[in-house]
Amino acid sequence: MAIPIPLSPGSDNPTGLDSKEAESRLVKYGQNLLPEPEATTFITVFLRQFRSPLIYILLLAAAVSLVVSDTKDTIFIGIVLLLNGLIGSLQEYSAGRAASALRKLEQPRAAVIRDGKVREIEARLLVPGDLVLLEAGGRVPADIALVEAADLLCDESLLTGESLPARKMAPFAGARAVDSKATLAFAGTLVTRGRGTGVVMETGSSTEIGKIAAEIGKASATLPPLMIRLARFSNAIAWAVGLTSLFLVAVGFIRGLAWSDLFLMSVGLAVSAIPEGLPIAISIALAISMRRMAKRNVIVRRMPAVEALGSCTMIATDKTGTLTLNELTVTEIRLPDGTHLALDAVTDLDICEIKATNMSPAEARVRTGRLLRAASLPNEASLIQDENGWKGVGDTVDVALLTAARKAGLAQDKMAEDYPLVARIPYEPDLKYAASFHRGGEHVHVFAKGSAETLLSMTDRMDVGGRAIEIDRGALLAQKEEMAARGLRVLAFAEGEIRSGADQIFGHHHLVDLVFLGFAGMQDPIRPEVSQAIRECHAAGVEVAMVTGDDPKTAAAIAAQAGLEFGPSQITTGDAVREAEAEGPERLDELTKRARIYARVLPSQKLAIVLSMARNGHFVAVTGDGVNDAPALKHAHVGVAMGVKGTEVAKESADIVVADDNFASIVCGIREGRTAYSNIRKVILMLTATGAAEMLLFLLAIPIGLPMPLLPVQLLWLNLVTNGIQDVTLAGERPEGDELARPPRRPKEPIFDRLMVRRIIQSTFIIGGGGFVAFYWLLSWGYQLAEARNLLLLLFVMFENVQTLSCRSEHRSLLTRSFFSNPLLLASVVAAQAIHIGAMHLPWFRDVLGLAPISLAEWSLTLIAAASLLLVIEIDKFHGRSSSSKSLRAIRG
């Protein structure tokens, strides 16, 4: 027998589709499955890692080394390239899981009406036009237009970010029209209460969650800041090496040098100037910071995200679950006499207290007892305690009220025992209240909760200090409005007594002449650590914007409590974003340049906001925990997902996962990210300065007719052996302590900023120029060419050791940095000296490298000469610190 179902615009048949029509539509529309990312083989991903100018140069260096039969250097460079490729491949290959994580939200089975009968089928077989039955506890299997809804609530937080369940209704509730969004149930959302029937409107990739999945599957619209800067750096190195080599070859050709000598010189200089150890040093710097961040509950899923978080100039944060606890909580109680009481927003209910000015916790519990009893008895939720603490079951508002009562020492089971239930009036949207009747002695007690206006119409007295006096509705409504203006959801409570009869039926007609007990204000409270974390962000020069699906008043109230800095003109809505998008990117960029609070924002708009912020010159970090956040997490410079309450989709789409959902952990991540980038700069400075110095040595020697100062094999030894140890250990430098006191780097700031360029010039001229002077002087004083090269090579090893130590800080004196804070660096400097001195005394190395033992006096002189570099850089650092102090005093003055 067919089950009658009301017709709706999307239904073809009040008894559902027949099997034949369903099969036809399945062929036409396809299965109800979310899109999967295109399969990419690991080999393809691996080969993709070599699309980089720096990698091209390294490959060329390896090929040249192989041509000249230098297999050892070829192997070394090959190992570096292989490690770099494998690390990048594993990171990129794992990123493909983001869209597939959405499949966990698909409903495996669905109850439908086919051929006039209720059947359970696989959800993937649903087609548009199917009639689907929904009930509490299940997920909606497709986008559905409701035709029936009985007390139906759906948790849509994964799509909208709103913490409260959305009430769903049929298109017409009595004589009044219903908002179109309220008549739709979306795929992947959870039915928390009630039941309903609806017509499938969209399936698979056409659903709202399917559109999000398609967005996640696209390639990221932004690159990590480090990758952008390294690409520029690689291009600069390539041009410098190429032009210098061509110039030296041309000069050598004019001088009549042999082509073989010129070729070997070009190879040596190319290898010396190319920072072969940079990829592995960068990987080590990032890996060390990843480990440090993990200790602070910040889990990095993609290595470049370490530095990207440190580079961010804007954090676009979600509200629900990120700034807030994502738990509806009673945070204050207002009694009719104006007494204000606050409740702790923590989850350990056995240690919470109710607090009031000039009132002890015990007295506060007594004063709120009647109100919280009225909140708990007309209540269909329950609290359950397990090994993980207290958990609520039922409607979120009812759970919040029971939690507040528990904080006041009122146990639900004890109240139920003292006041046996007689009858109940469940909450209905049209009624705007719920009530229950309980036997107590010769009377029946009635308890009611609901909207302030509704309950005020049922009451004629109000409770003041235990006495029922004449009600002052104006004053009570003013209290309610003041609470609502602060973003609180306000409920009112009342109670009364009825003399019971033996066969009396209790109902709505008894809800008169009640006593008004007061208000409870509920909200999703701010996490305790958020305000301090946002202050630290502001101090570090990082702006914070909130992007939420909540209404503007609630968003502004929460933002103010969190400590965000904004004015009325900086609050905007999703409607304004949509209008700006329609006018073009320039109009949207104008909006995002000033706005800091975005309310009533859709998922697609969140992504547009983030991309617009990036166009405005920000490096954007996005935080979130829901499916609605996934596209923005994927396409931001760095996506940060919450690990405890975040969805798997959000975590798979993000670059970083905060394991404790603590916003303050993000600040720790920023500090570590800045440390990682600082260490990378130190490595680049050391490698670039020494490579440039070697090129300057040849640029000075070859044009004036001197022989090659160093042989190609000596250049390779200098860069791949003695220098190859120190760059890796320099990458592990500890934080200097002032990372968050510095302003963030400008998004367009290159690696070679003014400070870096100045230091490179200083080091290049001292090392390269000093080496040239030493080489020229040694030849002039009668040293043989081999002897001069031997001492010059030792001098360069000394210079590299000093350069490594001076690079430990860009601003601080070497004397203020503990030598033992990075014991591996100290050991690498000693090891470099020991290796080189050892090579002077080992026959095979002496023959291959053209080395010879030296006297202690010669070693001491080279050490003194190398110390000149440290002296110059220390003077420059002192001058820089003095200038910064004067500027700071001028600003403060």
Side-chain angles (χ1 to χ4, degrees), residues 803-819:
Q803 176 74 2
T804 300
L805 294 173
S806 68
C807 286
R808 295 190 65 196
S809 175
E810 294 185 18
H811 306 279
R812 295 186 174 187
S813 169
L814 174 64
L815 301 177
T816 64
R817 299 282 288 165
S818 171
F819 281 95

Side-chain angles (χ1 to χ4, degrees), residues 12 16-32 112-115 119 121 124-130:
D12 299 298
L17 299 177
D18 59 49
S19 298
K20 185 176 181 180
E21 176 63 18
E23 290 177 4
S24 173
R25 295 191 183 192
L26 185 63
V27 173
K28 179 179 179 181
Y29 295 105
Q31 293 191 359
N32 179 33
V112 301
I113 298 175
R114 290 265 179 96
D115 302 317
R119 295 181 179 178
I121 65 171
R124 64 183 179 85
L125 301 178
L126 284 176
V127 295
D130 261 325

Side-chain angles (χ1 to χ4, degrees), residues 582-663:
E583 295 180 29
E586 294 80 7
R587 178 68 185 88
L588 180 60
D589 294 349
E590 290 178 12
L591 177 65
T592 60
K593 192 173 292 184
R594 62 171 175 80
R596 290 299 175 264
I597 307 297
Y598 300 84
R600 291 295 186 202
V601 170
L602 300 175
S604 59
Q605 293 174 329
K606 179 176 285 191
L607 175 59
I609 290 168
V610 169
L611 296 179
S612 177
M613 288 175 172
R615 289 196 299 271
N616 281 332
H618 284 291
F619 277 149
V620 187
V622 172
T623 72
D625 62 352
V627 173
N628 62 313
D629 301 312
L633 289 169
K634 173 69 180 290
H635 295 291
H637 289 105
V638 57
V640 183
M642 300 296 110
V644 177
K645 295 190 176 178
T647 62
E648 286 301 313
V649 181
K651 287 184 273 191
E652 289 292 338
S653 300
D655 306 289
I656 291 173
V657 177
V658 179
D660 57 358
D661 282 15
N662 189 333
F663 187 86

Side-chain angles (χ1 to χ4, degrees), residues 711-726:
L711 297 172
V713 69
Q714 292 173 329
L715 289 169
L716 294 173
W717 168 261
L718 190 62
N719 288 276
L720 298 181
V721 179
T722 60
N723 210 15
I725 303 172
Q726 299 161 45

